[in-house]
């Protein structure tokens, strides 16, 4: 809840006073454009925190509260954004400077939306590759890890060990007990050909950190496997098969891209 | 800046600040509701533990 306490004190970025207004060469369109971007960013930040809370608690009642709040924020955001848009777009058509500024703002917003779309599309591509790279693991259950991956996205964590991992662990452990009972020293056990083979196979499971979708870490004690560099959908909660998780994540990014396309279309047509 | 422009800019700023105030209130209400849910669950858990001790 610490992160949310921060949000309770959203400080308006600019006061209502008119200090500095005189040196504003700024047009109404500039002010409206900036205000629109800022309120959208602020709302997005709050909604992102809601997603983190949902993951943290994974509680249906809390999820309902979060969804209700998100819907209220979304509704208010649309209303205020459109009111700001009305003020900002009601420009004097004879004022070339005002028109130029408005066009510049619209171009800026479109550019920003296009960057978001590029990022979402990259996540979709990564998940597509992951579906192929991880085809042997698609039926295992995963949950969204609380840790961010180094690439900035979420990681997926297997909540059940793979059969192969479990079988190897068990076989190696039994062999260790057997060799130990036969009076072998620790070093002799480590040098045993079969024991070395099991160890080698276990170490073959984590195969590097660089490639997207590769398994990057295996904890033999907890039989957990962490998959790094997979960007998951931030509002997915609960447990899924890895295949489901990847596909659901892609659907969410695809939906987000459709909304971006609609918004870009509206901006290009001047329909605010 | 002419009066009309000034008035529009002030109106936009007010809309923006009103939205921030709305967000603050929405977050406070949300957090309060979550805290109530968590407290209720804690109370229930404590009650269950005490019942088991009897």
């Amino acid at each position: 809840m610490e992160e949310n306490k921060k949000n309770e004190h959203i400080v308006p970025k600019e006061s209502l006073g008119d200090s500095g207004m005189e040196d504003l060469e700024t047009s109404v369109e500039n002010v409206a454009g900036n205000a629109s971007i800022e309120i959208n960013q602020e709302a997005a930040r709050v909604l992102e925190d809601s997603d983190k809370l949902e993951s943290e608690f994974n509680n249906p009642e809390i999820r309902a509260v979060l969804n209700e709040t998100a819907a209220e924020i979304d509704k208010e955001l649309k209303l205020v954004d459109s009111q700001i848009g009305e003020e900002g777009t009601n420009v004097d058509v004879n004022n070339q400077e005002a028109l130029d500024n408005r066009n510049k703002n619209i171009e800026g917003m479109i550019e920003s939306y296009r960057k978001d779309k590029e990022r979402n599309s990259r996540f979709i591509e990564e998940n597509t590759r992951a579906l192929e790279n991880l085809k042997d693991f698609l039926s295992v259950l995963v949950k969204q890890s609380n840790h961010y991956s180094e690439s900035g996205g979420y990681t997926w964590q297997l909540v059940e060990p793979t059969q192969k991992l479990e079988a190897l662990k068990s076989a190696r452990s039994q062999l260790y007990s057997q060799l130990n009972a036969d009076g072998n020293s620790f070093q002799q056990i480590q040098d045993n050909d079969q024991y070395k083979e099991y160890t080698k196979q276990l170490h073959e499971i984590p195969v590097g950190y660089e490639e997207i979708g590769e398994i990057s870490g295996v904890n033999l004690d907890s039989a957990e496997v962490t998959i790094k560099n997979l960007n998951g959908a931030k509002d997915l909660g609960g447990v899924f098969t890895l295949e489901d998780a990847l596909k659901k994540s892609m659907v969410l990014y695809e939906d987000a891209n459709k909304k971006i396309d609609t918004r870009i279309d509206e901006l290009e047509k001047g329909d605010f | 800046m002419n009066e009309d422009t000034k008035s529009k800019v002030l109106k936009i700023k007010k809309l923006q600040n009103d939205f921030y105030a709305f967000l603050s209130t929405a977050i406070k209400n949300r957090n309060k509701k979550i805290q109530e849910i968590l407290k209720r669950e804690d109370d229930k858990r404590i009650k269950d533990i005490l019942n088991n001790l009897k």
Side-chain angles (χ1 to χ4, degrees):
Chain A
M1 297 292 284
E2 278 305 309
E3 280 181 59
N4 297 319
K5 282 181 183 164
K6 281 190 301 192
N7 289 335
E8 288 180 0
H9 307 288
I10 291 173
V11 180
K13 289 183 173 59
E14 294 177 60
S15 75
L16 282 172
D18 58 358
S19 58
M21 279 183 66
E22 276 68 25
D23 47 88
L24 282 175
E25 289 299 328
T26 314
S27 65
V28 177
E29 296 72 44
N30 262 336
V31 175
N34 289 337
S36 173
I37 290 170
E38 284 170 13
I39 62 168
N40 274 282
Q41 284 173 342
E42 199 62 48
R45 195 175 65 75
V46 172
L47 294 176
E48 200 171 310
D49 284 341
S50 287
D51 294 335
K52 286 182 197 160
L53 274 180
E54 189 173 335
S55 303
E56 193 179 322
F57 291 113
N58 197 20
N59 172 311
E61 262 192 284
I62 291 177
R63 190 176 304 135
V65 171
L66 292 171
N67 287 341
E68 187 189 344
T69 309
E72 282 172 14
I73 291 174
D74 195 45
K75 192 176 165 192
E76 185 70 13
L77 175 65
K78 280 179 182 156
L79 178 69
V80 175
D81 207 8
S82 97
Q83 287 171 336
I84 288 175
E86 277 172 28
E87 291 299 320
T89 53
N90 188 16
V91 297
D92 177 1
V93 289
N94 295 316
N95 183 340
Q96 189 56 44
E97 192 187 350
L99 285 173
D100 288 347
N101 279 330
R102 180 171 70 176
N103 290 338
K104 211 187 295 172
N105 282 330
I106 292 170
E107 280 167 20
M109 286 167 80
I110 290 175
E111 184 57 29
S112 163
Y113 278 123
R114 287 202 171 121
K115 279 186 184 156
D116 284 350
K117 194 181 169 186
E118 274 174 23
R119 188 202 56 208
N120 290 344
S121 300
R122 199 170 61 245
F123 291 159
I124 293 169
E125 281 172 23
E126 287 174 1
N127 282 7
T128 305
R129 262 180 283 164
L131 278 168
E132 176 58 28
N133 288 347
L134 295 169
K135 61 184 175 217
D136 295 337
F137 299 92
L138 292 180
S139 62
V140 297
L141 295 177
V142 295
K143 66 182 175 183
Q144 188 177 287
S145 161
N146 285 327
H147 304 291
Y148 283 102
S149 75
E150 288 152 1
S151 64
Y154 286 89
T155 61
W156 297 105
Q157 187 174 39
L158 305 191
V159 292
E160 283 185 351
T162 64
Q163 284 186 348
K164 183 182 174 189
L165 180 68
E166 189 67 1
L168 275 172
K169 267 185 63 191
S170 170
R172 192 175 74 155
S173 172
Q174 280 176 21
L175 181 61
Y176 184 96
S177 301
Q178 180 62 48
L179 292 171
N180 193 35
D182 291 347
N184 288 285
S185 69
F186 176 79
Q187 194 53 53
Q188 284 171 321
I189 295 173
Q190 301 301 314
D191 291 340
N192 178 278
D193 285 343
Q194 184 59 56
Y195 191 86
K196 279 201 287 191
E197 180 58 26
Y198 285 147
T199 304
K200 183 171 166 257
Q201 286 181 33
L202 277 169
H203 288 167
E204 277 172 358
I205 295 178
V207 280
Y209 293 80
E210 301 303 323
E211 293 297 319
I212 288 162
E214 295 286 4
I215 292 174
S216 61
V218 175
N219 181 337
L220 296 180
D221 294 327
S222 64
E224 280 183 345
V225 179
T226 304
I227 304 167
K228 285 199 172 184
N229 295 334
L230 276 189
N231 287 291
K234 57 189 179 216
D235 44 356
L236 278 182
V239 175
F240 300 92
T241 63
L242 179 60
E243 182 174 16
D244 249 7
L246 291 171
K247 287 183 173 171
K248 277 174 192 292
S249 155
M250 289 158 82
V251 167
L252 287 172
Y253 286 125
E254 278 159 6
D255 285 349
N257 276 353
K258 280 181 199 161
K259 283 181 190 162
I260 288 173
D261 282 340
T262 308
R263 188 67 186 127
I264 288 175
D265 197 38
E266 286 169 354
L267 287 168
E268 283 176 342
K269 285 179 184 164
D271 176 12
F272 306 106
Chain B
M1 190 179 284
N2 66 38
E3 282 307 308
D4 184 48
T5 304
K6 193 171 175 178
S7 156
K8 279 178 187 296
V9 168
L10 282 174
K11 195 166 174 189
I12 290 167
K13 294 284 178 196
K14 183 170 185 331
L15 283 166
Q16 187 176 5
N17 283 340
D18 284 350
F19 181 73
Y20 291 141
F22 162 83
L23 271 185
S24 288
T25 308
I27 292 164
K28 275 182 195 165
N29 290 341
R30 179 194 72 185
N31 290 352
K32 197 176 164 196
K33 284 178 190 171
I34 291 175
Q35 276 160 1
E36 280 167 5
I37 293 168
L38 293 175
K39 186 178 180 308
R40 206 168 59 233
E41 290 191 346
D42 276 350
D43 288 348
K44 187 176 176 303
R45 206 170 297 133
I46 291 166
K47 204 173 164 186
D48 288 346
I49 291 169
L50 289 175
N51 280 338
N52 285 333
L53 287 176
K54 279 177 188 172

